[in-house]
Amino acid sequence: MMAKILLLEQTSILKNRLEKLLFDIGYKDIQTYHQGLITFEKFYNTHNGFSAVIVDIDQFRNDMDQILDCIKAKEDTVKIVFLSEKTNMTDLATFYSKGVDEIIVKPFNDEEIVKKLSIHTHIEDLKNIKLVKKSIEGEARILSWCSDYEIGVEDIDKEHKEIIEHFETLYDLMKDGKGHEYYNELIKFLEYYVVHHFDHEEELQQKVGYGDYEKHKRLHNEFKKQVTTLMSNYDQTNVTNADLVKLNLFIKNWLAEHILMEDKKISEWIDRS
């Protein structure tokens, strides 16, 4: 794996943990930036070719705009991952509107970092992820339906649009300090969605002889397990703000990573057939 990773982390224990984890999963070129030795702008202008930048935003919040501006000015396809101990909806809206791809809430487990980085840091994949940002305008909705999501199959596109509309509803309610009542409805929708929509997608893949059918089915099964976990771990009489943020991130990651990166491959397969 030739990808380069830039790590902005001041805490020695967490920095060493991340460096070891990244090295173990194949990232042999890991560079770090330390505050005070040189400005981030000067540092970044003398380095290039990063596939991802991981920032502990709790430590670099005052420099956030400068960091993001430097990255976007030089490398539009770099993936930006923020680590944060506390993340509310205002933070989420700000981070995503400024071009952040992923927010991982601390404390996190190693599997979460591996999942975010080991699969999705290739340049072509990152270009696909950037399509999401066309739907971000200031403090508008994080994700809105647009042509980037279409795979060219009417029924599948209609179902994708439906889950995005549910996501938008949750996000709008959360911005107004609401959403707790809607959480239960959305969980029930997801339980229905992962059965019927996934069946439709898998029937389509079998019909067109899709080459990555088995891999795609495994991804569906993994998502079903995650929804089952959500169903079993929440108390419908006491939905917390943390529950809302977690569900928001869960759906956002699915929309960005699965529809844009996996379902679009079905469209490409059909076009080639």
Side-chain angles (χ1 to χ4, degrees), residues 198-211:
F198 289 170
D199 283 349
H200 295 163
E201 275 196 359
E202 290 166 16
E203 289 171 5
L204 170 65
Q205 292 171 45
Q206 290 179 314
K207 180 179 179 180
V208 300
Y210 183 53

Side-chain angles (χ1 to χ4, degrees), residues 48-158:
N48 55 63
F50 292 110
S51 291
V53 178
I54 304 174
V55 184
D56 190 333
I57 199 58
D58 295 335
Q59 300 167 359
F60 290 88
R61 191 175 292 265
N62 291 337
D63 301 313
M64 178 176 69
D65 289 336
Q66 179 195 23
I67 290 170
L68 294 176
D69 287 345
C70 288
I71 294 171
K72 288 184 288 184
K74 191 171 183 180
E75 297 175 293
D76 185 52
T77 57
V78 68
K79 184 169 186 176
I80 304 170
V81 179
F82 274 8
L83 308 178
S84 180
E85 186 172 1
K86 295 180 180 179
T87 304
N88 54 39
M89 280 309 301
T90 301
D91 286 336
L92 290 178
T94 299
F95 294 162
Y96 286 133
S97 68
K98 290 180 178 293
V100 177
D101 294 291
E102 302 284 358
I103 295 101
I104 299 177
V105 180
K106 299 184 291 186
F108 52 84
N109 58 49
D110 290 352
E111 290 181 359
E112 190 171 4
I113 294 289
V114 171
K115 181 180 178 182
K116 300 298 184 187
L117 292 175
S118 64
I119 301 174
H120 301 303
T121 51
H122 299 296
I123 294 299
E124 291 304 315
D125 287 341
L126 290 168
K127 288 179 180 177
N128 290 335
I129 279 290
K130 294 297 172 181
L131 295 174
V132 177
K133 294 175 184 174
K134 292 183 180 180
S135 66
I136 301 174
E137 298 178 0
E139 293 188 2
R141 292 183 174 96
I142 294 177
L143 297 173
S144 297
W145 178 259
C146 62
S147 60
D148 292 332
Y149 288 101
E150 295 177 358
I151 71 168
V153 178
E154 184 177 358
D155 290 344
I156 301 299
D157 287 338
K158 182 179 178 180

